[in-house]
Amino acid sequence: HGSSGGLSLTSYTNLMNGGNSGAVIIPGNHATSLLWQKINGTGPGSQMPFGCGNSCLTSEVDLIASWIDQGANE
Protein backbone atom coordinates (compact mmCIF):
# COMPACT_ATOMS: atom_id res chain seq x y z
CA HIS A 1 0.00 0.00 0.00
CA GLY A 2 1.40 3.37 -0.95
CA SER A 3 0.39 6.36 1.08
CA SER A 4 -3.10 6.99 -0.25
CA GLY A 5 -5.04 9.01 2.30
CA GLY A 6 -1.82 9.43 4.27
CA LEU A 7 -1.79 5.73 5.20
CA SER A 8 1.32 3.68 4.58
CA LEU A 9 1.32 -0.06 5.19
CA THR A 10 5.07 -0.39 4.59
CA SER A 11 5.84 -0.97 8.28
CA TYR A 12 4.15 -1.77 11.57
CA THR A 13 4.92 1.74 12.85
CA ASN A 14 3.36 3.39 9.80
CA LEU A 15 0.26 1.18 10.09
CA MET A 16 -0.19 2.05 13.74
CA ASN A 17 0.32 5.77 12.99
CA GLY A 18 -2.77 5.66 10.78
CA GLY A 19 -3.58 8.08 8.00
CA ASN A 20 -5.35 11.35 7.31
CA SER A 21 -8.52 9.97 8.92
CA GLY A 22 -6.68 8.97 12.10
CA ALA A 23 -6.00 5.54 13.53
CA VAL A 24 -6.92 2.55 11.36
CA ILE A 25 -6.26 -0.05 14.06
CA ILE A 26 -8.00 0.03 17.44
CA PRO A 27 -6.12 -2.65 19.41
CA GLY A 28 -8.55 -5.02 21.11
CA ASN A 29 -11.51 -4.10 18.91
CA HIS A 30 -11.48 -5.20 15.28
CA ALA A 31 -15.06 -4.06 14.62
CA THR A 32 -14.15 -0.40 15.19
CA SER A 33 -10.83 -0.61 13.33
CA LEU A 34 -11.05 1.10 9.96
CA LEU A 35 -8.54 -1.32 8.40
CA TRP A 36 -10.73 -4.31 9.25
CA GLN A 37 -13.89 -2.49 8.14
CA LYS A 38 -12.32 -1.70 4.76
CA ILE A 39 -11.12 -5.25 4.06
CA ASN A 40 -14.39 -6.70 5.35
CA GLY A 41 -16.43 -4.41 3.08
CA THR A 42 -18.27 -2.68 5.93
CA GLY A 43 -16.22 0.51 6.05
CA PRO A 44 -16.88 3.79 4.26
CA GLY A 45 -15.97 4.03 0.59
CA SER A 46 -14.62 1.20 -1.53
CA GLN A 47 -13.71 -2.19 -0.16
CA MET A 48 -9.98 -2.80 -0.06
CA PRO A 49 -7.97 -4.06 -1.71
CA PHE A 50 -9.57 -2.05 -4.47
CA GLY A 51 -11.10 -4.15 -7.23
CA CYS A 52 -10.99 -7.40 -5.28
CA GLY A 53 -14.54 -7.63 -4.05
CA ASN A 54 -14.95 -10.40 -1.49
CA SER A 55 -12.43 -12.79 -3.03
CA CYS A 56 -8.94 -11.49 -2.26
CA LEU A 57 -8.63 -11.68 1.51
CA THR A 58 -11.21 -14.31 2.40
CA SER A 59 -9.23 -16.24 5.02
CA GLU A 60 -7.12 -13.26 6.07
CA VAL A 61 -10.11 -11.17 7.23
CA ASP A 62 -10.70 -13.45 10.23
CA LEU A 63 -6.98 -13.67 10.94
CA ILE A 64 -6.65 -9.87 10.93
CA ALA A 65 -9.70 -9.57 13.22
CA SER A 66 -8.09 -11.99 15.67
CA TRP A 67 -4.77 -10.13 15.57
CA ILE A 68 -6.49 -6.82 16.30
CA ASP A 69 -8.62 -8.34 19.08
CA GLN A 70 -5.47 -9.77 20.69
CA GLY A 71 -3.89 -6.29 20.84
CA ALA A 72 -2.40 -5.84 17.35
CA ASN A 73 1.12 -6.52 18.62
CA GLU A 74 4.11 -6.29 16.30
Side-chain angles (χ1 to χ4, degrees), residues 61-73:
V61 172
D62 290 338
L63 181 63
I64 291 168
S66 294
W67 171 71
I68 293 170
D69 287 344
Q70 294 172 14
N73 296 313

Side-chain angles (χ1 to χ4, degrees), residues 19-58:
N20 296 344
S21 299
V24 295
I25 300 288
I26 308 300
N29 192 339
H30 76 272
T32 60
S33 296
L34 183 58
L35 177 76
W36 183 83
Q37 292 173 1
K38 294 293 282 184
I39 63 171
N40 190 51
T42 59
S46 300
Q47 183 174 1
M48 296 293 145
F50 186 72
C52 270
N54 292 324
S55 62
C56 289
L57 297 175
T58 305

